[in-house]
Amino acid sequence: MIGELASSQAVPPNGHTSLPQAGGLNRYQLQRLVRSGLLSREGSALLPSTAARSWYRSGDPSLLIETLHINVRFVGEAMHALVSMPLTHEQLLSLAREEYDLPWTTTGPVHNRTAWLSVTGMVDLFDRHLHLTTSGRDVLARLALGTPEYSDTRVTTRLTPATGAVADLIDSLDETGLRARADGANLYIPGTSANGGSLDALHMLAEAAIPSIRDADFVRFVRANFPKARTAATARTAKEALKALGLIQRTSSETWSATPGAIAWIESGEALDLARTVHAAIAFFGEILGELDTTGRLTTGALAERSVRYLPNRQRPLSRAAVNTRLNLLEACGLVSRLSQTVYRTTPLGLAFKDSLPCLSPEDVLPDRPADTGAGCKLSGRPDADRQNASPGEGFAAELERAACDSTNHERLEKAAVAALGYLGLPGEHVGGNGHVDGRVRFGIGASSAILGVEAKSAANGRVVEQPLFGLADHRAEIGAEITLLIGPGFERRMLREADDDPAIAVIETGLLAEVVRRQDHTPLTLDQLGPLVDPALRAAQRREALSGYWQAQEVRSQIEYAIVDLLNAEAEDPLEEGGWLDLTSIRRELRSRGYRVGEEEVEEALEFLAWNRIGVVQRSERGYRCTAGVHAAGMRIRALGHQWSAAAHHREVRPSGQKSQP
């Protein structure tokens, strides 16, 4: 098939009515051949590249492999891995992930590459192992191999410039335009998110609106072409998502048309034009690239929480689903790569793309964030009335994130890390100085407590490289610690592996530590529940998953408590029910009707908490349970407990020395 393309004169230009076909390939398969160096774009047509024509005329398969190696990662590198011994596809996958930091979760990408190597005679597959042939060794000797290190340096990447209507969209994005973008909180794209499927779906739907389409016909079109959008409601949701993404617009009360930006993307076939159009339409799209680039390996959950900083029209963060939809589009456009199910990284193309866009910064939306101070323990100087809803941990978390990238002042992160851990209930002190531990904190209370050493490493590019670890044991001995907390924005792969393998080192990325600090104000964890944060038996990538179970359990518990008060209030208002009493079985049945399938013990525990005399919103008797206050009053009483503790702490601090407290 590729030989047919190489011998052809041109692949027909893109049209408006259907996906272009050439040798059975669709638009995005053709684009992958462009990225592989086998096709090149000339105006509106795709032509076989010079390298592809040279290979086809000569019949020399080594020319094809050299072209693929130049343009595609892990081709020659896979051959090099087979020099010393034969390997299976699974072993090559492990090598690609661990040594070259490639975000592959299946052997599919490995099979794709070894298929090329097999048909060209570079490798031979037998006994489930790939063997490098003599021809493969000869070709390998001529290849310049990439290093098995991810480079944090800004790779020079050529961006396809925006043209026409897309260029006009980007040029019009001043600060007012950026603030006027839609929140994009409900984005549903039918079809699959993998392998460019979301781009195919958006292309098909936008193309259907050229020149225009009636509302009812659009809904029927979605339902007919996408099996997962068969209901009218789902089809309308997809249509609204297309509108939010800037791809269709109303032209009358009954018709829709593709926007100029969508038409320009369809004509160019460039994924970057789609990304530019979407960035101009919804908030927190291109800005995600900056978040992933400057604050380490944030999870999708952490990105969702941080999204509120970029949403001028919204007081709540986006849902994880809304963030995942954005990440899927960015990945399909080649701007981010997936490192795990919930972690992404900006690609070199994404870095260059981000720098070419006008974007909002968090300071543009929230100018009154915590002050950039060395201590990092105080909120900014806004009036108390204006920050009554601000998170007390925000100052610690924001300073931690800023200090992590301040490589000119290493003590700043040391102090910020100790302060953040202290906020979580691990009191300690900053030490610092050459040959000494950066800080020491205490985990636990009394005789059962343990001393932990703190080593904090900052990096301007978000990744600490080649810091020696052999001196950490001496630092622990100096303060009587058994464990070192190695804290930084991210760590170079080999350093991370060495630290993760050390049974006395717990690696904590500052992004996760900041997330834990922020969450502590709303879903506070006990010291036991914070154990995974400092457990050296866990690898850095496992910590958030271990903590997420506790966060989720707390969120579910609070939802159940709210639902119980709400349903007991509804029972009390029912004129057919005397007294509003419900027994335990009835409460569980009502909870199931609201989607909560919980055990009897969990419901009893929640009822006991609500009936506690310090809250007292539920009354218990032989008849069952009933409410004595509304949902709002219950929330006020629970919040009041926190205020009372704060007042008690303040009273303890200001009482004159020697004065005894009142009995």
Side-chain angles (χ1 to χ4, degrees):
M1 182 183 295
I2 303 303
E4 295 173 2
L5 290 175
S7 64
S8 66
Q9 295 301 310
V11 177
N14 300 333
H16 285 318
T17 57
S18 64
L19 290 175
Q21 299 293 320
L25 302 178
N26 67 27
R27 177 187 307 275
Y28 295 103
Q29 291 170 323
L30 291 173
Q31 288 180 352
R32 284 193 282 273
L33 288 175
V34 172
R35 291 193 291 269
S36 300
L38 299 178
L39 293 178
S40 61
R41 186 177 297 279
E42 298 290 340
S44 60
L46 293 176
L47 298 173
S49 66
T50 302
R53 290 184 183 278
S54 297
W55 156 65
Y56 183 76
R57 286 195 296 266
S58 68
D60 183 358
S62 67
L63 296 179
L64 173 61
I65 296 304
E66 289 176 8
T67 300
L68 291 173
H69 170 70
I70 290 171
N71 293 279
V72 179
R73 294 186 67 187
F74 204 66
V75 175
E77 292 78 10
M79 296 169 63
H80 178 69
L82 301 174
V83 169
S84 57
M85 68 178 72
L87 298 173
T88 64
H89 287 98
E90 290 75 14
Q91 289 170 327
L92 280 177
L93 173 63
S94 297
L95 178 75
R97 289 173 57 85
E98 295 176 8
E99 298 295 325
Y100 292 87
D101 218 5
L102 291 168
W104 299 340
T105 57
T106 69
T107 57
V110 177
H111 278 285
N112 291 340
R113 286 156 174 79
T114 56
W116 285 103
L117 296 173
S118 179
V119 299
T120 54
M122 303 296 129
V123 301
D124 191 13
L125 174 64
F126 57 91
D127 294 334
R128 296 186 65 250
H129 285 71
L130 293 153
H131 302 253
L132 190 64
T133 64
T134 302
S135 298
R137 292 177 185 274
D138 293 340
V139 173
L140 180 62
R142 304 198 299 268
L143 302 181
L145 299 177
T147 60
E149 305 275 346
Y150 177 78
S151 174
D152 281 317
T153 57
R154 299 281 172 138
V155 179
T156 301
T157 303
R158 181 180 176 273
L159 288 178
T160 305
T163 58
V166 176
D168 294 339
L169 278 176
I170 298 301
D171 290 342
S172 67
L173 279 183
D174 54 13
E175 184 174 337
T176 301
L178 289 168
R179 287 173 172 271
R181 292 176 299 173
D183 291 337
N186 300 304
L187 300 176
Y188 168 67
I189 301 174
T192 62
S193 60
N195 300 321
S198 56
L199 300 192
D200 284 332
L202 291 176
H203 182 278
M204 180 185 295
L205 293 172
E207 197 174 49
I210 299 177
S212 66
I213 187 171
R214 293 177 62 85
D215 202 323
D217 292 337
F218 198 106
V219 172
R220 280 194 290 270
F221 181 84
V222 175
R223 297 176 67 183
N225 286 278
F226 298 97
K228 292 185 178 181
R230 290 294 171 82
T231 68
T234 306
R236 283 193 292 270
T237 301
K239 179 189 66 181
E240 291 301 320
L242 226 66
K243 175 188 175 184
L245 294 172
L247 299 179
I248 61 172
Q249 60 188 359
R250 276 204 177 276
T251 50
S252 75
S253 60
E254 297 182 350
T255 58
W256 296 83
S257 291
T259 62
I263 294 173
W265 164 53
I266 291 171
E267 291 176 346
S268 71
E270 289 290 342
L272 294 186
D273 282 341
L274 170 65
R276 293 179 179 110
T277 302
V278 172
H279 175 70
I282 62 172
F284 200 53
F285 187 73
E287 290 83 359
I288 289 179
L289 301 175
E291 282 287 325
L292 294 176
D293 179 37
T294 58
T295 51
R297 295 186 180 182
L298 293 177
T299 63
T300 53
L303 284 172
E305 291 191 1
R306 295 174 69 85
S307 67
V308 73
R309 303 177 172 199
Y310 297 88
L311 304 173
N313 311 315
R314 190 177 174 88
Q315 298 303 314
R316 293 190 302 165
L318 295 169
S319 66
R320 291 191 187 184
V323 172
N324 280 329
T325 301
R326 286 162 164 82
L327 288 167
N328 288 335
L329 278 178
L330 290 167
E331 183 183 19
C333 294
L335 302 175
V336 301
S337 60
R338 187 194 299 261
L339 300 180
S340 70
Q341 190 65 24
T342 60
V343 179
Y344 293 76
R345 181 180 59 209
T346 308
T347 64
L349 179 64
L351 295 176
F353 182 73
K354 179 206 70 173
D355 291 340
S356 72
L357 293 176
C359 293
L360 276 182
S361 69
E363 288 76 15
D364 293 332
V365 182
L366 297 176
D368 293 328
R369 295 180 67 196
D372 191 6
T373 63
C377 302
K378 296 180 180 178
L379 292 173
S380 62
R382 288 185 292 167
D384 289 344
D386 292 340
R387 67 181 190 207
Q388 59 184 354
N389 295 320
S391 160
E394 176 62 29
F396 294 95
E399 171 60 14
L400 187 69
E401 291 168 335
R402 290 193 177 99
C405 297
D406 185 1
S407 57
T408 63
N409 182 2
H410 60 87
E411 283 195 357
R412 183 180 181 189
L413 180 58
E414 296 169 7
K415 295 177 180 178
V418 171
L421 291 168
Y423 186 73
L424 295 176
L426 282 69
E429 61 181 347
H430 172 248
V431 181
N434 291 333
H436 299 287
V437 70
D438 294 339
R440 63 190 297 271
V441 296
R442 180 162 54 91
F443 185 86
I445 301 295
S448 62
S449 64
I451 299 298
L452 312 179
V454 176
E455 301 288 349
K457 310 296 180 185
S458 57
N461 60 13
R463 181 170 293 197
V464 180
V465 296
E466 297 301 334
Q467 293 277 356
L469 303 178
F470 56 81
L472 300 188
D474 293 336
H475 291 180
R476 289 194 294 272
E478 175 189 3
I479 61 172
E482 296 182 0
I483 296 172
T484 294
L485 306 181
L486 183 60
I487 300 173
F491 296 89
E492 177 268 335
R493 177 189 49 76
R494 289 183 179 175
M495 181 183 177
L496 177 62
R497 184 192 304 170
E498 180 184 353
D500 269 340
D501 289 343
D502 192 317
I505 297 178
V507 181
I508 307 174
E509 294 188 354
T510 51
L512 174 62
L513 183 54
E515 180 183 3
V516 176
V517 168
R518 288 191 175 97
R519 280 181 173 266
Q520 198 70 357
D521 293 315
H522 305 290
T523 49
L525 301 184
T526 66
L527 207 58
D528 285 343
Q529 292 169 337
L530 284 170
L533 182 67
V534 299
D535 185 356
L538 293 177
R539 307 184 80 80
Q542 299 172 320
R543 297 192 190 284
R544 189 184 189 284
E545 183 178 355
L547 293 168
S548 292
Y550 293 120
W551 286 327
Q552 184 177 8
Q554 281 212 35
E555 291 168 356
V556 171
R557 172 66 182 269
S558 63
Q559 291 167 9
I560 291 172
E561 291 166 354
Y562 181 95
I564 288 174
V565 176
D566 187 48
L567 68 88
L568 288 177
N569 268 271
E571 186 72 10
E573 296 293 334
D574 190 337
L576 299 180
E577 298 294 335
E578 183 181 353
W581 296 94
L582 283 179
D583 60 20
L584 183 60
T585 300
S586 299
I587 291 174
R588 290 185 62 200
R589 184 185 303 115
E590 289 294 327
L591 287 173
R592 282 198 300 271
S593 71
R594 299 185 179 208
Y596 300 106
R597 302 188 66 84
V598 290
E600 182 175 304
E601 184 178 340
E602 295 173 85
V603 177
E604 285 185 321
E605 191 176 276
L607 286 164
E608 183 178 347
F609 169 71
L610 294 168
W612 179 41
N613 60 6
R614 293 270 278 154
I615 298 174
V617 298
V618 166
Q619 181 182 359
R620 180 177 182 175
S621 77
E622 294 180 355
R623 301 178 63 183
Y625 301 87
R626 71 174 180 180
C627 256
T628 58
V631 172
H632 176 72
M636 290 292 290
R637 292 182 191 180
I638 293 172
R639 283 193 294 272
L641 294 178
H643 296 312
Q644 290 170 14
W645 273 76
S646 297
H650 177 71
H651 175 72
R652 175 66 180 84
E653 291 172 0
V654 302
R655 195 174 65 242
S657 176
Q659 178 179 326
K660 295 182 179 180
S661 58
Q662 296 297 319

